[in-house]
């Protein structure tokens, strides 16, 4: 007789997600791909440092990091009329196939000695054209496979897998860079996206999307957001939050490599510390469903900025990494709660469009902030840019908390 899991595990909000008949077939492929992305966090910027001319290294690192995500927002803006009626599985699979192809071309060109920094940035940009739609497909499929009460837990499971990838991916990337080079890591990342494409194109339900309404494009998703003040305010907060976080992707690698004189392994250690905290935060996120959204989200933003400050203030490495770990703890609850609000508030037939619209805005925010990282590092230095980013995020959270308090008081007066 097989042993049943302990009662505490079966009572967990995550149990219905990991035992779901469809999701348990798909989660392994998503896990493999997430591990590849965790490795790419280190490899993308490190290969840009190797390829870029020394005089413009900061600008090229910023462009490479931005290109890996920025074109996803553009893809969401221009491809809505062609993709809004596709099933979630198709959106995920096509995104993964494009990433596997474009990223796979990078190590091939590198092996033949034709990979310059310009071609490298172009291939990174091509790889992410369908990223917003792929993300929309994942969370739409999750929302339609699970009842509403399990949406937050499902989001937290995906976030937890991503967090685990930031724990194991960066040190694995550091080891592969020592053994081979950064292009080798990107080759592995491309292979993991091929696994993801096969998993969803073959194993996922192909009929989970209701027929779209006439005119149901991504602009309809923006219309849903505009009509819902909570969604509009949350999207504005998320855009600014991620925009202010973007310069870190430029400043941190340069701070580690030049400011501290450290190897790729030290950069990997920073990302790993963030990932360890994020794993714990992902476990916590599933239990936050009964808390009020706005106080939680604004509090997360305030604390996130505060715990990024040590690295920007020149604290010892152990203290800076500890701050990164706590910031990582706060990241998954914010992402899971904000996504759950979209899943619950948008009409089912317009959910892919609403999520794609949200993803486009969020995806656009990080590379825009990353692009700002180049001139910011040039002006303030890498450490100064990190401090400016942390302080700005904290101020944003305080401003959002003040607006939330004012809105709540107005609502109480209106009811009175």
């Amino acid at each position: 007789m097989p042993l049943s899991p302990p009662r505490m595990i079966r009572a967990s909000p995550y149990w219905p997600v990991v035992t779901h008949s469809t999701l348990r077939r798909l989660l392994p492929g998503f896990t493999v791909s997430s591990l590849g992305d965790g490795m790419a966090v280190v490899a993308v910027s490190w290969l840009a440092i190797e390829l870029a001319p020394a005089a413009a290294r900061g600008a090229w690192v910023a462009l490479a990091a931005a290109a890996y995500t920025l074109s996803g927002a553009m893809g969401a803006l221009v491809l809505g009329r062609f993709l809004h009626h596709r099933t979630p599985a198709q959106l995920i699979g096509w995104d993964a196939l494009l990433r596997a192809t474009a990223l796979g071309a990078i190590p091939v060109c590198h092996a033949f000695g034709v990979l310059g920094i310009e071609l490298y940035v172009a291939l990174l940009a091509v790889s992410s054209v369908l990223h917003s739609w792929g993300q929309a497909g994942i969370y739409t499929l999750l929302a339609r496979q699970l009842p509403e009460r399990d949406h937050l837990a499902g989001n937290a499971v995906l976030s937890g897998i991503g967090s685990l990838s930031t724990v194991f991916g960066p040190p694995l990337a550091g080891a592969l860079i020592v053994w081979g080079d950064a292009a080798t890591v990107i080759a592995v990342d491309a292979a993991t996206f091929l696994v993801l494409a096969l998993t969803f194109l073959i194993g996922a339900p192909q009929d989970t999307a209701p027929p779209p309404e006439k005119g149901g494009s991504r602009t309809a998703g923006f219309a849903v957001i505009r009509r819902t003040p909570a969604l509009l305010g949350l999207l504005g907060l998320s855009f600014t939050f991620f925009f202010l976080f973007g310069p870190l992707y430029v400043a941190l690698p340069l701070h580690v490599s030049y400011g501290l004189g450290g190897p790729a392994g030290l950069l990997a250690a920073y990302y790993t510390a963030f990932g360890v905290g994020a794993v714990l935060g992902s476990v916590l996120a599933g239990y936050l469903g009964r808390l009020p959204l706005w106080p939680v989200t604004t509090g997360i933003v305030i604390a996130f900025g505060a715990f990024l400050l040590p690295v920007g203030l020149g604290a010892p490495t152990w203290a800076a990494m500890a701050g990164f770990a706590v910031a990582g703890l706060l990241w998954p609850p914010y992402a899971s709660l904000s996504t759950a609000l979209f899943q619950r508030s948008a009409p089912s037939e317009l959910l892919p469009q609403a999520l794609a619209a949200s993803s486009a805005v969020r995806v656009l925010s990080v590379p825009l902030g990353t692009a700002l990282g180049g001139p910011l590092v040039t002006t303030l230095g890498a450490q100064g840019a990190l401090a400016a980013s942390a302080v700005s995020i904290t101020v944003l959270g305080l401003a959002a908390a003040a607006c939330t308090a004012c809105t709540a008081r107005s609502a109480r007066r209106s009811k009175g």
Side-chain angles (χ1 to χ4, degrees), residues 44-370:
V44 167
S45 58
W46 208 259
L47 184 55
I49 290 173
E50 294 177 355
L51 294 174
R57 188 167 282 133
W60 280 112
V61 171
L63 283 173
Y68 194 49
T69 52
L70 181 59
S71 62
M74 302 306 297
L77 292 172
V78 302
L79 297 178
R81 62 182 298 183
F82 305 106
L83 297 176
H84 73 272
H85 60 288
R86 301 297 179 181
T87 67
Q90 288 174 326
L91 295 175
I92 302 163
W94 293 353
D95 173 38
L97 278 177
L98 179 61
R99 286 201 164 218
T101 302
L103 292 177
I106 291 173
V108 172
C109 293
H110 188 267
F112 283 96
V114 297
L115 184 67
I117 187 64
E118 297 86 356
L119 177 58
Y120 176 57
V121 170
L123 289 171
L124 289 174
V126 170
S127 73
S128 66
V129 166
L130 298 179
H131 179 65
S132 291
W133 289 100
Q135 290 296 298
I138 288 174
Y139 287 101
T140 299
L141 187 147
L142 187 76
R144 290 178 178 156
Q145 291 294 315
L146 295 172
E148 183 177 295
R149 66 177 182 274
D150 295 327
H151 287 176
L152 180 58
N155 298 338
V157 167
L158 297 184
S159 179
I161 292 172
S163 300
L164 283 170
S165 75
T166 63
V167 174
F168 297 105
L172 184 56
L176 284 176
I177 289 173
V178 172
W179 174 74
D181 51 32
T184 302
V185 180
I186 294 178
V188 174
D189 188 27
T192 66
F193 275 111
L194 184 59
V195 171
L196 179 66
L198 294 175
T199 298
F200 277 84
L201 290 176
I202 297 175
Q206 298 297 313
D207 57 351
T208 57
E213 296 179 351
K214 184 178 180 180
S217 66
R218 196 185 50 74
T219 57
F222 276 119
V224 171
I225 295 172
R226 285 196 303 269
R227 290 195 301 265
T228 310
L231 294 183
L232 186 60
L234 183 61
L235 190 58
L237 176 63
S238 297
F239 175 87
T240 311
F241 179 21
F242 298 151
F243 173 79
L244 295 174
F245 181 74
L248 179 138
Y249 288 109
V250 178
L252 184 61
L254 294 172
H255 174 63
V256 169
S257 60
Y258 293 100
L260 300 179
L266 181 59
L267 177 61
Y270 271 96
Y271 288 127
T272 300
F274 190 94
V276 170
V279 170
L280 299 177
S282 298
V283 175
L284 173 66
Y287 295 91
L288 301 179
R290 295 183 179 181
L291 297 180
L293 175 65
W294 275 106
V296 174
T297 53
T298 55
I300 286 174
V301 175
I302 294 168
F304 189 91
F307 283 104
L308 285 183
L309 267 177
V311 68
L313 296 179
T317 300
W318 66 266
M321 284 192 181
F324 257 60
V326 179
L329 176 73
L330 299 170
W331 189 270
Y334 182 92
S336 297
L337 285 167
S338 58
T339 301
L341 179 57
F342 274 90
Q343 290 168 324
R344 295 176 184 181
S345 301
S348 178
E349 69 276 6
L350 293 176
L351 184 57
Q353 291 87 340
L355 286 173
S358 171
S359 179
V361 172
R362 296 185 184 192
V363 166
L364 184 64
S365 64
V366 175
L368 284 176
T370 303

